[in-house]
């Protein structure tokens, strides 16, 4: 993403939860995960490093618990605040999408 764009409102993301957002691009767009912990929001590509599947168990619904998000396909666990792999069949973490909060909105950075 080269230009900053509004992704959603902070309140659209449940505290200690996650939502999916589609980002348009010149190559057809891609899906990102936005996760929130209090006033902090974290963005990642919605693509598991294990087999490249999306992490949602149904579109836009994620398993987030105790500071980690779980890939619905085979159970890989990643830290919400860093994307670091905690457990599971892959060896790397999620790919971060830089975001920033301005007022009540979340923007791509
Ligand atoms: S695709 Fe995510 S754990 Fe296998």
């Amino acid at each position: 993403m080269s230009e900053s764009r509004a992704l959603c409102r902070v309140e659209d993301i449940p505290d200690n939860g996650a939502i999916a957002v589609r980002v348009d691009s010149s190559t057809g767009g891609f899906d990102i995960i936005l996760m929130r912990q209090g006033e902090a929001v974290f963005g990642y590509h919605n693509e598991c490093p294990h087999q490249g599947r999306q992490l949602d168990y149904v579109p836009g619904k994620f398993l987030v618990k105790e500071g980690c998000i779980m890939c619905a396909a085979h159970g890989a666990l990643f830290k919400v605040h860093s994307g670091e792999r905690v457990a599971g069949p892959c060896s790397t973490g999620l790919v971060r999408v830089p975001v920033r909060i301005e007022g009540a909105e979340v923007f791509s950075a």
Side-chain angles (χ1 to χ4, degrees):
M1 288 184 291
S2 57
E3 65 186 56
S4 182
R5 62 186 89 185
L7 300 172
C8 69
R9 296 178 60 80
V10 173
E11 67 186 25
D12 293 336
I13 311 167
D15 196 9
N16 296 310
I19 63 170
V21 174
R22 180 81 182 165
V23 177
D24 294 327
S25 74
S26 60
T27 56
F30 53 94
D31 295 308
I32 63 174
I33 306 166
L34 293 176
M35 295 188 275
R36 181 176 153 210
Q37 289 182 327
E39 298 304 312
V41 174
F42 308 93
Y44 301 96
H45 284 274
N46 188 4
E47 183 176 351
C48 181
H50 177 221
Q51 290 185 342
R53 298 201 203 174
Q54 296 195 329
L55 281 78
D56 359 13
Y57 60 91
V58 295
K61 300 290 184 188
F62 299 91
L63 301 163
V64 181
K65 189 175 179 183
E66 297 175 0
C68 290
I69 183 168
M70 177 183 284
C71 177
H74 311 107
L77 268 182
F78 307 93
K79 291 183 180 175
V80 168
H81 73 274
S82 66
E84 178 186 346
R85 176 197 166 275
V86 175
C90 45
S91 58
T92 59
L94 300 176
V95 175
R96 184 181 288 269
V97 175
V99 297
R100 64 184 168 80
I101 296 172
E102 194 173 304
E105 294 204 77
V106 181
F107 288 82
S108 59

